[in-house]
Amino acid sequence: MASTAGRLAEDTCERDWIWEREIEAAPWEETRRLGAGAWERQFRRIRESSGFYARKWREAGIGSSFVSLGDLSQLPFTTKDELRQALDESPPFGSNLCVAPEQVKRVYQTSGTTGTPSVLALTRGDMESWTTMGTRTYYATGIHEHSSVLTTFGAGPFVAGHTHFVLLRIGTRSVPVAPGDTERVVFGLKAGLADTLLSTASFAQYLANRAERLEKESPSPLQGRGVEGEGRGTGNLTHVVTGGEPGGGIPAIRDHIQRVLGVTVTEVMGIGDVAPSLFGECPHQQGMHYCGAGHVWVELIDPDTHEPMDIETGAVGELVYTTLTREAMPIVRFRGSDIVRIEGTSCECGRTSFRQRVMGRRDDMFIVRGVNVYPAAILSVVGEFRPRVTGRARVVRKSDATSIEPPIPVEVEVTEHHESDPALVADIENAIHARLMFRSRVTLVLESDFGEAGYKTNLSRKDSPHSPKTPLPPGERG
Ligand SMILES: [Zn+2]
């Protein structure tokens, strides 16, 4: 059985299923030693070249002596706002640029929540470390040299475009499609050009709903086996890798995509300012492996008290990132805002890195009568009402207050003919009450009014007449 331990069911190749076994399957102490060595060099580089961190650490009362990786929690967090200020005070690359401008060889932009783009400069070495982490990540999902991968990630301006270098490194056949070009994705799959699709969970869900609709219109002669290849219009597709939003890790969403499209779903995750791909889920489907050993150090903290937490099975907290090898724009203790659950610290695949699943964004969390709720929990309940609903839903927030008084306003996307269905509203409200212990007020919204299916779905929205529907690209998390 060892030969299939870390592979997808249909993968018969002979290459090792771990890209860098000596690193990815090393004892945790080894990973720690690798990180500590890299941090020593990184700390020196930051001390010598970053005006931004020189001031920040002076203001925080950090002396001139070396702060070891084990004492990292003595250093202050870095926020998105601070990184933006660092750029503004010395454009175009800011006061945190630690190399000569000529050494900057690639520039990505991030889409901030305020709409002002932010700049991310990379040296050749930075690009290489991103490719290394990305290759471990995507290889872990089961994508190998023999895969044909259809991707809708643009080459730029967003960091998700770096995935193209990763696919080249793995040696896959690549089938690029422009972001948002749904018709070409559908054509590419139907024509049998790809066995693997990289997309947001929202888009994979859209494909599954579409396949179900096609099936209803012209039923397949084979009952009880899901929709057959020809009928569901996805050709040779056997594997979907989702990223950019937590959906692929939510059972109600994942199971539906897998069942309808006849595929295996694994997910990946990156953080725009840190690395576009940093976590990848292996075919055992037990959460995403940390794939940044030697390049990015990860801490887990309590989101309320900010105290460090042990990375152990069952722990729930916020991930904090420190780049260990970044040359152009190093980042120390960046709060990623994703609240994750540690699913385990070993795996049948042989990787020794911890596994995690995202519960939601810190900002999306709200509190109902003292209980923390993540909108993803609502998706799990709503998903059970298919095919009347599509599986997408979001919480409407009236203000910035974290504590919300029930009933909680929830918008649920429905398929045609269900936009005014009082029985469905009552059923969903009852299910949310029974499972999540709070009252809700459900509004049904037609697919055409909910926003683009091809992009990531915001799990909450501000209640304003013209709420922004600006989509974030996959791989970009704030
Ligand atoms: Zn694994």
Side-chain angles (χ1 to χ4, degrees), residues 161-451:
H162 202 84
T163 308
H164 293 287
F165 293 108
V166 169
L167 297 178
L168 193 65
R169 178 69 53 89
I170 294 175
T172 68
R173 178 186 297 153
S174 205
V175 186
V177 170
D181 191 348
T182 305
E183 284 318 302
R184 207 169 285 275
V185 173
V186 168
F187 166 78
L189 294 177
K190 200 170 177 180
L193 297 180
D195 51 30
T196 308
L197 171 71
L198 305 189
S199 77
T200 57
S202 294
F203 186 76
Q205 196 166 224
Y206 162 82
L207 280 183
N209 289 336
R210 183 177 175 280
E212 271 184 327
R213 204 156 49 223
L214 287 174
E215 165 75 346
K216 212 161 35 177
E217 284 159 13
S218 56
S220 150
L222 296 161
Q223 294 300 318
R225 293 188 52 194
V227 192
E228 288 302 305
E230 192 70 0
R232 67 183 166 234
T234 50
N236 305 326
L237 191 68
T238 56
H239 185 202
V240 174
V241 179
T242 66
E245 58 182 7
I250 299 170
I253 294 177
R254 165 173 296 203
D255 295 349
H256 177 246
I257 298 168
Q258 294 198 138
R259 181 173 52 77
V260 176
L261 297 182
V263 297
T264 303
V265 173
T266 53
E267 58 170 350
V268 294
M269 171 181 153
I271 300 86
D273 291 277
V274 179
S277 344
L278 188 57
F279 297 93
E281 182 176 37
C282 79
H284 287 286
Q285 300 179 294
Q286 300 292 316
M288 295 175 277
H289 284 284
Y290 156 64
C291 296
H295 294 287
V296 172
W297 187 253
V298 179
E299 298 168 84
L300 188 69
I301 61 162
D302 182 308
D304 299 319
T305 66
H306 305 167
E307 286 301 313
M309 299 171 69
D310 285 332
I311 295 181
E312 56 190 13
T313 308
V316 172
E318 181 180 351
L319 291 173
V320 173
Y321 306 92
T322 297
T323 60
L324 298 173
T325 52
R326 182 77 70 75
E327 295 171 341
M329 291 181 171
I331 303 180
V332 180
R333 303 201 80 211
F334 181 75
R335 290 185 66 180
S337 345
D338 290 298
I339 306 295
V340 306
R341 182 182 187 276
I342 306 300
E343 299 291 329
T345 52
S346 63
C347 185
E348 284 176 63
C349 73
R351 288 178 184 81
T352 47
S353 56
F354 70 88
R355 292 173 279 115
Q356 56 94 354
R357 264 204 213 298
V358 176
M359 300 180 66
R361 306 274 298 171
R362 177 163 37 98
D363 311 338
D364 283 342
M365 190 205 76
F366 56 92
I367 301 172
V368 189
R369 299 193 194 288
V371 177
N372 292 2
V373 182
Y374 294 95
I378 294 172
L379 291 186
S380 302
V381 176
V382 168
E384 289 165 11
F385 290 90
R386 285 194 185 87
R388 288 179 286 172
V389 307
T390 65
R392 296 205 297 166
R394 64 190 163 211
V395 173
V396 182
R397 305 282 287 266
K398 304 266 185 208
S399 71
D400 287 328
T402 315
S403 250
I404 316 184
E405 277 300 307
I408 309 299
V410 177
E411 290 181 341
V412 175
E413 188 184 56
V414 289
T415 49
E416 237 178 307
H417 310 306
H418 291 288
E419 61 271 34
S420 45
D421 184 344
L424 179 60
V425 168
D427 287 351
I428 297 173
E429 286 177 352
N430 288 337
I432 290 175
H433 195 217
R435 296 263 299 278
L436 305 176
M437 308 298 178
F438 59 80
R439 283 182 301 115
S440 59
R441 197 178 60 248
V442 166
T443 310
L444 304 178
V445 181
L446 255 185
E447 272 176 278
S448 47
D449 299 327
F450 201 89

Side-chain angles (χ1 to χ4, degrees), residues 4 6-13 141-142 146 238-239 263-264 283-284:
T4 56
R7 298 181 188 286
L8 293 166
E10 53 282 340
D11 179 7
T12 54
C13 80
T141 68
H146 50 78
T238 56
H239 185 202
V263 297
T264 303
H284 287 286

